[in-house]
Amino acid sequence: MSDEIEFDAESTATTWAAFGDLMSVLLGAFVLILASVIGIQLLLHNRLDEEVKQRQAQTAKLKTLEQALAAPMAAGRITVIDGRIGISGSVLFALNSDQLQPEGRELLQSIAGPLREYLHAREEILMVSGFTDNQPVRVANARFADNLELSAARALTVTRTLIADGVPSASVFAAAFGAEQPVSPNDDEAGRAKNRRVEIAPIPRPHTDGKADAR
């Protein structure tokens, strides 16, 4: 009888020991899971904070740009949408031409100063982009092979004019898109007129490592 009691005691002790080990493992797993959840929450919180800060900075940048260009915007001479300054091609150039019209020259002169002041306190540069409608360049105008070349010439004209009016040459460059990226269907003259445009957009200034290019 005593042997049975002793056996039962040993069995019970073994069971409790195994149960204790199991609980320890479960508790350790729970602690690890809890730590992982807390870590993920902190990471998501930090990412959310960073995204909020970036959006606030972007909003402040756009507000500053709009304030700098308030006068020409109020006069309806330019638009500012998501930081892109839009200028109708008909204001700047005659059809199929890259030569500034007097009104276009005056407009660029009026925005060069505000743009220069805007860039002064920021690590940004201006991308001047030329766009056209989808109509072929007139045969009579042999200066340009196609719309891409015409849009490039117009972007260069605006870029050089801004530089002449005081925007640092290292802070502005030209880009050409031709008939790509229309903002309106090219089905009628009204739509094509909207697509003939120049856009000026601030973008982050590229940083170099300071090493000279190997030639």
Side-chain angles (χ1 to χ4, degrees):
M1 185 70 176
S2 60
D3 290 341
E4 292 179 0
I5 294 174
E6 184 176 336
F7 177 78
D8 289 343
E10 291 179 355
S11 176
T12 301
T14 302
T15 300
W16 278 107
F19 179 75
D21 291 340
L22 176 61
M23 293 302 296
S24 297
V25 171
L26 291 176
L27 179 60
F30 175 77
V31 170
L32 289 175
I33 293 172
L34 180 61
S36 298
V37 170
I38 292 174
I40 293 173
Q41 288 180 335
L42 288 174
L43 179 61
L44 292 176
H45 179 73
N46 291 336
R47 287 183 177 177
L48 180 60
D49 281 348
E50 184 64 27
E51 184 175 344
V52 169
K53 290 178 181 178
Q54 290 178 355
R55 289 186 178 182
Q56 289 175 341
Q58 179 68 10
T59 300
K61 184 187 80 169
L62 296 180
K63 184 177 180 180
T64 301
L65 184 61
E66 290 176 356
Q67 289 174 342
L69 300 171
M73 284 180 61
R77 306 181 74 185
I78 66 171
T79 60
V80 180
I81 301 175
D82 295 333
R84 299 192 310 275
I85 304 164
I87 309 174
S88 171
S90 61
V91 173
L92 296 172
F93 308 101
L95 196 63
N96 287 285
S97 172
D98 66 335
Q99 301 300 307
L100 279 175
Q101 301 184 117
E103 182 184 2
R105 178 68 184 83
E106 179 186 346
L107 174 59
L108 293 179
Q109 188 174 30
S110 71
I111 68 174
L115 287 175
R116 183 176 64 249
E117 293 300 318
Y118 172 84
L119 292 171
H120 180 69
R122 286 170 177 78
E123 282 297 306
E124 295 179 330
I125 58 177
L126 300 176
M127 180 173 72
V128 179
S129 302
F131 302 86
T132 68
D133 59 28
N134 67 343
Q135 299 301 296
V137 176
R138 290 178 179 174
V139 176
N141 191 349
R143 290 188 57 207
F144 308 108
D146 51 28
N147 280 317
L148 185 62
E149 189 171 324
L150 173 59
S151 68
R154 288 179 168 178
L156 282 171
T157 296
V158 173
T159 299
R160 288 167 175 155
T161 302
L162 291 176
I163 292 173
D165 287 335
V167 175
S169 60
S171 297
V172 59
F173 69 99
F177 292 88
E180 302 299 328
Q181 301 185 19
V183 294
S184 181
N186 284 295
D187 300 334
D188 54 33
E189 177 53 32
R192 290 192 291 271
K194 292 180 180 179
N195 293 328
R196 296 192 297 268
R197 69 196 191 278
V198 171
E199 292 182 356
I200 304 172
I203 64 172
R205 180 183 294 277
H207 294 282
T208 61
D209 56 8
K211 296 179 181 179
D213 294 337
R215 297 186 184 277

Coordinates of all heavy atoms in Angstrom, one line a residue, residues 165-210:
D165 N 16.6 86.5 -65.9 CA 15.9 87.4 -64.9 C 16.3 87.1 -63.5 O 15.6 87.6 -62.5 CB 14.4 87.2 -65.0 CG 13.8 87.8 -66.3 OD1 14.5 88.8 -66.8 OD2 12.8 87.4 -66.8
G166 N 17.3 86.4 -63.3 CA 17.9 86.2 -61.9 C 17.8 84.9 -61.2 O 18.3 84.7 -60.1
V167 N 17.1 83.9 -61.8 CA 17.1 82.6 -61.2 C 18.4 81.9 -61.5 O 18.9 81.9 -62.6 CB 15.9 81.7 -61.8 CG1 16.0 80.3 -61.2 CG2 14.6 82.4 -61.5
P168 N 19.1 81.4 -60.4 CA 20.4 80.8 -60.6 C 20.4 79.7 -61.6 O 19.5 78.9 -61.6 CB 20.8 80.3 -59.2 CG 20.0 81.1 -58.3 CD 18.7 81.4 -59.0
S169 N 21.4 79.7 -62.5 CA 21.4 78.7 -63.6 C 21.5 77.3 -63.0 O 21.1 76.3 -63.6 CB 22.6 78.9 -64.5 OG 23.8 78.9 -63.8
A170 N 22.1 77.1 -61.8 CA 22.3 75.8 -61.2 C 21.0 75.3 -60.5 O 20.9 74.2 -60.0 CB 23.4 75.9 -60.1
S171 N 19.9 76.2 -60.6 CA 18.7 75.9 -59.9 C 17.5 75.7 -60.8 O 16.4 75.6 -60.4 CB 18.3 77.0 -58.9 OG 19.3 77.0 -57.8
V172 N 17.8 75.6 -62.1 CA 16.7 75.4 -63.1 C 17.2 74.6 -64.3 O 18.4 74.7 -64.7 CB 16.2 76.8 -63.5 CG1 17.3 77.6 -64.2 CG2 15.0 76.6 -64.5
F173 N 16.4 73.7 -64.8 CA 16.7 72.9 -66.0 C 15.5 72.6 -66.8 O 14.3 72.8 -66.3 CB 17.4 71.6 -65.6 CG 16.5 70.6 -65.0 CD1 16.0 69.6 -65.7 CD2 16.3 70.7 -63.6 CE1 15.2 68.6 -65.1 CE2 15.4 69.7 -63.0 CZ 14.9 68.7 -63.8
A174 N 15.7 72.3 -68.1 CA 14.6 72.1 -69.0 C 14.3 70.6 -69.3 O 15.2 69.8 -69.2 CB 14.9 72.8 -70.3
A175 N 13.0 70.3 -69.5 CA 12.6 68.9 -69.9 C 11.6 69.0 -70.9 O 10.8 70.0 -71.0 CB 12.1 68.2 -68.6
A176 N 11.5 68.0 -71.8 CA 10.6 68.0 -72.9 C 9.7 66.8 -72.9 O 10.2 65.7 -72.7 CB 11.3 68.1 -74.3
F177 N 8.4 66.9 -73.1 CA 7.5 65.8 -73.1 C 6.6 65.7 -74.4 O 5.9 64.8 -74.6 CB 6.5 65.9 -71.9 CG 7.2 65.7 -70.6 CD1 7.8 66.8 -69.9 CD2 7.3 64.5 -70.0 CE1 8.4 66.6 -68.7 CE2 7.9 64.3 -68.8 CZ 8.5 65.3 -68.2
G178 N 6.7 66.7 -75.3 CA 6.0 66.7 -76.5 C 4.5 66.6 -76.3 O 3.9 67.3 -75.4
A179 N 3.8 65.6 -77.0 CA 2.4 65.4 -76.8 C 2.0 64.5 -75.7 O 0.9 64.2 -75.5 CB 1.8 65.0 -78.1
E180 N 3.0 64.0 -75.0 CA 2.8 63.0 -73.9 C 2.2 63.8 -72.7 O 2.4 65.0 -72.6 CB 4.1 62.3 -73.5 CG 4.7 61.5 -74.6 CD 3.8 60.4 -75.2 OE1 3.0 59.9 -74.4 OE2 3.9 60.2 -76.4
Q181 N 1.5 63.0 -71.9 CA 0.9 63.6 -70.6 C 0.0 64.7 -70.8 O 0.1 65.8 -70.2 CB 2.0 64.0 -69.6 CG 3.0 62.8 -69.3 CD 4.0 63.2 -68.2 OE1 3.8 64.2 -67.5 NE2 5.0 62.4 -68.1
P182 N -1.0 64.6 -71.7 CA -2.0 65.6 -71.9 C -2.9 65.8 -70.7 O -3.1 64.8 -69.9 CB -2.8 65.1 -73.1 CG -2.7 63.6 -73.0 CD -1.3 63.4 -72.5
V183 N -3.3 67.0 -70.4 CA -4.2 67.3 -69.3 C -5.7 67.4 -69.8 O -6.6 67.5 -69.0 CB -3.8 68.6 -68.6 CG1 -2.5 68.4 -67.9 CG2 -3.8 69.8 -69.6
S184 N -5.9 67.3 -71.1 CA -7.2 67.4 -71.7 C -7.2 66.6 -73.0 O -6.2 66.4 -73.6 CB -7.6 68.8 -71.9 OG -8.9 69.0 -72.4
P185 N -8.4 66.0 -73.4 CA -8.5 65.3 -74.6 C -8.1 66.3 -75.8 O -8.4 67.5 -75.8 CB -9.9 64.9 -74.7 CG -10.4 64.8 -73.3 CD -9.7 66.0 -72.6
N186 N -7.5 65.7 -76.8 CA -7.1 66.5 -78.0 C -8.2 66.5 -79.1 O -7.9 66.7 -80.2 CB -5.8 66.0 -78.6 CG -4.6 66.4 -77.7 OD1 -4.2 67.6 -77.7 ND2 -3.9 65.4 -77.1
D187 N -9.4 66.3 -78.7 CA -10.5 66.2 -79.6 C -10.9 67.5 -80.2 O -11.5 67.5 -81.3 CB -11.7 65.5 -78.9 CG -11.4 64.1 -78.4 OD1 -10.5 63.5 -78.9 OD2 -12.1 63.7 -77.4
D188 N -10.7 68.6 -79.6 CA -11.1 69.9 -80.1 C -10.1 70.9 -79.8 O -9.1 70.7 -79.0 CB -12.5 70.3 -79.6 CG -12.6 70.3 -78.1 OD1 -11.5 70.6 -77.4 OD2 -13.6 70.0 -77.5
E189 N -10.2 72.1 -80.3 CA -9.2 73.2 -80.1 C -9.1 73.6 -78.7 O -8.0 73.9 -78.2 CB -9.6 74.4 -81.0 CG -8.6 75.6 -80.8 CD -7.2 75.2 -81.0 OE1 -6.9 74.3 -81.8 OE2 -6.3 75.8 -80.3
A190 N -10.2 73.6 -77.9 CA -10.2 74.0 -76.5 C -9.3 73.0 -75.7 O -8.5 73.4 -74.9 CB -11.6 74.0 -75.9
G191 N -9.4 71.7 -76.0 CA -8.6 70.7 -75.3 C -7.2 70.8 -75.7 O -6.3 70.7 -74.9
R192 N -6.9 71.0 -77.0 CA -5.5 71.1 -77.5 C -4.9 72.3 -76.9 O -3.7 72.3 -76.6 CB -5.5 71.1 -79.0 CG -5.9 69.8 -79.7 CD -5.6 69.7 -81.1 NE -6.5 70.6 -81.9 CZ -7.7 70.3 -82.4 NH1 -8.1 69.0 -82.2 NH2 -8.4 71.1 -83.1
A193 N -5.6 73.4 -76.7 CA -5.0 74.6 -76.2 C -4.5 74.4 -74.7 O -3.5 74.9 -74.3 CB -6.0 75.8 -76.2
K194 N -5.3 73.6 -74.0 CA -4.9 73.3 -72.6 C -3.6 72.5 -72.6 O -2.8 72.6 -71.7 CB -6.0 72.6 -71.9 CG -7.2 73.4 -71.6 CD -8.3 72.7 -70.9 CE -9.5 73.5 -70.6 NZ -10.6 72.7 -70.0
N195 N -3.4 71.6 -73.6 CA -2.3 70.7 -73.6 C -1.0 71.5 -74.1 O 0.1 71.0 -73.7 CB -2.5 69.5 -74.5 CG -3.6 68.6 -73.9 OD1 -3.7 68.5 -72.7 ND2 -4.4 68.0 -74.8
R196 N -1.2 72.5 -74.8 CA 0.0 73.4 -75.2 C 0.3 74.2 -74.0 O -0.2 75.3 -73.8 CB -0.3 74.2 -76.4 CG -0.6 73.4 -77.6 CD -0.7 74.2 -78.9 NE -1.7 75.2 -78.9 CZ -3.0 75.1 -79.4 NH1 -3.3 73.9 -79.9 NH2 -3.8 76.0 -79.3
R197 N 1.3 73.8 -73.2 CA 1.6 74.5 -71.9 C 3.0 74.3 -71.5 O 3.7 73.4 -72.1 CB 0.7 73.9 -70.8 CG 1.0 72.5 -70.4 CD -0.1 71.8 -69.7 NE 0.4 70.6 -69.1 CZ 0.4 69.4 -69.7 NH1 0.1 69.3 -71.0 NH2 0.8 68.3 -69.1
V198 N 3.4 75.1 -70.5 CA 4.7 74.9 -69.9 C 4.5 74.8 -68.4 O 3.7 75.6 -67.8 CB 5.7 76.1 -70.2 CG1 6.9 76.0 -69.3 CG2 6.1 76.1 -71.6
E199 N 5.1 73.9 -67.7 CA 5.0 73.7 -66.3 C 6.3 73.9 -65.6 O 7.4 73.5 -66.1 CB 4.4 72.3 -65.9 CG 3.0 72.1 -66.4 CD 2.4 70.7 -66.0 OE1 3.2 69.9 -65.4 OE2 1.2 70.5 -66.2
I200 N 6.3 74.5 -64.5 CA 7.5 74.8 -63.7 C 7.3 74.1 -62.3 O 6.3 74.5 -61.6 CB 7.8 76.3 -63.5 CG1 7.9 76.9 -64.9 CG2 9.1 76.5 -62.7 CD1 8.0 78.5 -64.8
A201 N 8.1 73.1 -62.0 CA 7.8 72.4 -60.7 C 9.1 72.3 -59.9 O 10.2 71.9 -60.4 CB 7.4 70.9 -61.1
P202 N 9.0 72.7 -58.6 CA 10.2 72.5 -57.7 C 10.3 71.0 -57.4 O 9.4 70.3 -57.1 CB 9.8 73.3 -56.4 CG 8.6 74.1 -56.8 CD 7.9 73.4 -57.9
I203 N 11.6 70.5 -57.5 CA 11.9 69.2 -57.1 C 13.1 69.2 -56.2 O 13.9 70.2 -56.2 CB 12.2 68.3 -58.3 CG1 13.4 68.8 -59.1 CG2 11.0 68.3 -59.2 CD1 13.8 67.9 -60.2
P204 N 13.3 68.1 -55.4 CA 14.5 68.1 -54.5 C 15.8 68.2 -55.3 O 16.0 67.6 -56.4 CB 14.4 66.7 -53.8 CG 13.0 66.4 -53.9 CD 12.5 67.0 -55.2
R205 N 16.8 69.0 -54.8 CA 18.1 69.1 -55.4 C 18.8 67.8 -55.3 O 19.0 67.3 -54.2 CB 18.8 70.3 -54.8 CG 20.2 70.5 -55.4 CD 21.0 71.6 -54.7 NE 20.3 72.9 -54.9 CZ 20.5 73.7 -56.0 NH1 21.3 73.3 -57.0 NH2 19.9 74.8 -56.0
P206 N 19.4 67.3 -56.4 CA 20.2 66.0 -56.2 C 21.5 66.3 -55.5 O 22.1 67.4 -55.7 CB 20.4 65.6 -57.7 CG 20.2 66.9 -58.5 CD 19.2 67.7 -57.8
H207 N 21.9 65.4 -54.7 CA 23.1 65.6 -53.9 C 24.2 64.6 -54.5 O 23.9 63.5 -54.9 CB 22.9 65.2 -52.4 CG 22.0 66.2 -51.8 ND1 22.4 67.5 -51.3 CD2 20.7 66.1 -51.4 CE1 21.4 68.1 -50.8 NE2 20.4 67.3 -50.8
T208 N 25.4 65.1 -54.6 CA 26.5 64.4 -55.1 C 27.5 64.0 -53.9 O 27.4 64.6 -52.9 CB 27.3 65.1 -56.2 OG1 27.8 66.3 -55.6 CG2 26.4 65.5 -57.3
D209 N 28.4 63.0 -54.1 CA 29.3 62.6 -53.1 C 30.6 63.5 -53.1 O 31.5 63.2 -52.3 CB 29.6 61.2 -53.2 CG 30.2 60.8 -54.6 OD1 30.5 61.8 -55.4 OD2 30.4 59.6 -54.9
G210 N 30.6 64.5 -54.0 CA 31.8 65.4 -54.0 C 32.9 64.8 -54.8 O 34.0 65.5 -55.0

